[in-house]
Amino acid sequence: ADVFWSSECLQTLRLEAAGVLAPFPAAVGDRSVRPYERWAAVGGRLRVILVNMDHVSETNSPRSVDDLLDERWPASRVGLARPLFGTTATHAAALYAARGPADGRAFFARVQARGVRILDGNATVRDLVASGELWWGLTDSDDALGALRRGAPVRVVLPDQAEGEAGTLAIPMSVALIAGGPHPDAARRLAAELLSAATLAQLAAQGFVTPADAPPPRLMDTPWPAMLGHLERSRAELRELFLR
């Protein structure tokens, strides 16, 4: 391989830690690209609350990931994807980082004990909210946009936007070059194209990245290069909770 292109970034950090990635040229890509030593981040899908409007009024809407624990919502009517894979695993790692590992694990232990629906993926959460089987759930902004474009009776809530709350998580897309790849010059050209303004505009139109000039008012503080340790710990601990 020559280029690694991912819809998120923590798995890219795992490759960096394993010595798989080459130094990343700082000049590659659009001006909104955030270059790190061996990869680049850009844009970002948001972790959002998708609400079925037939079951939940706007004045009584969930506003925080902590609403997963609120007894006013029947546990069987609330859901999230299993927090071991993909962006839900990344969200779990971010919560571990923001709250501290002990409080992060305690949060998910309460989610599991309450009987919140744990599903196979974010698209499943979206589909069950759209059908009304779930009243609301956590998913990604691109999945939520798909439901809106199909005319489902849903609305999107950006979680944890109140003063003093942690903010909404944005998970950037990442691009990296493989160390020792067979086509280094072509790899740099491909990376530049993947991170170009034209490509990012197409992805933004599909809801797959949030435009850099349109972030939510309050974003979670996520020092991505330091997040890998939280991912490894959260995955190990949550595997015990959700796969036993």
Side-chain angles (χ1 to χ4, degrees):
D2 290 288
V3 175
F4 184 75
W5 183 30
S6 175
S7 62
E8 56 97 60
C9 61
L10 282 191
Q11 304 308 319
T12 309
L13 289 175
R14 296 181 75 191
L15 293 179
E16 180 182 29
V20 173
L21 305 182
F24 199 86
V28 166
D30 176 69
R31 60 184 176 80
S32 64
V33 172
R34 302 184 296 283
Y36 294 97
E37 183 179 352
R38 293 182 182 271
W39 60 286
V42 68
R45 287 177 293 167
L46 303 176
R47 292 289 293 166
V48 301
I49 298 172
L50 189 66
V51 178
N52 185 291
M53 296 188 295
D54 292 338
H55 295 284
V56 180
S57 69
E58 188 166 359
T59 57
N60 193 37
S61 182
R63 301 292 179 190
S64 168
V65 296
D66 286 311
D67 282 315
L68 290 168
L69 305 176
D70 193 330
E71 295 292 341
R72 68 188 168 127
W73 308 110
S76 63
R77 298 297 188 176
V78 179
L80 75 158
R82 188 171 286 104
L84 301 176
F85 313 103
T87 55
T88 315
T90 302
H91 198 176
L95 291 174
Y96 265 57
R99 302 178 181 210
D103 287 346
R105 186 191 185 283
F107 169 78
F108 283 102
R110 292 176 65 192
V111 167
Q112 194 270 347
R114 196 167 102 78
V116 169
R117 294 277 299 277
I118 305 299
L119 301 157
D120 289 337
N122 293 307
T124 304
V125 174
R126 173 202 62 201
D127 292 343
L128 293 182
V129 172
S131 71
E133 184 173 333
L134 291 180
W135 293 356
W136 63 270
L138 290 177
T139 190
D140 292 337
S141 53
D142 61 312
D143 291 301
L145 181 59
L148 288 168
R149 286 179 170 172
R150 290 197 294 270
V154 297
R155 68 173 174 275
V156 176
V157 176
L158 301 180
D160 300 301
Q161 289 294 297
E163 187 69 33
E165 293 181 334
T168 296
L169 177 63
I171 302 175
M173 183 184 76
S174 58
V175 175
L177 304 178
I178 304 300
H183 310 99
D185 292 336
R188 284 190 289 272
R189 292 197 300 272
L190 175 57
E193 182 64 24
L194 294 176
L195 295 170
S196 69
T199 300
L200 298 179
Q202 291 182 62
L203 291 169
Q206 297 171 38
F208 206 76
V209 298
T210 301
D213 59 352
R218 190 183 301 276
L219 286 174
M220 287 188 77
D221 181 18
T222 45
W224 292 113
M227 291 285 286
L228 187 57
H230 293 290
L231 175 69
E232 302 298 349
R233 177 166 180 172
S234 63
R235 288 183 72 184
E237 293 184 351
L238 299 183
R239 188 176 292 112
E240 294 180 2
L241 279 175
F242 292 101
L243 292 182
R244 64 187 179 187

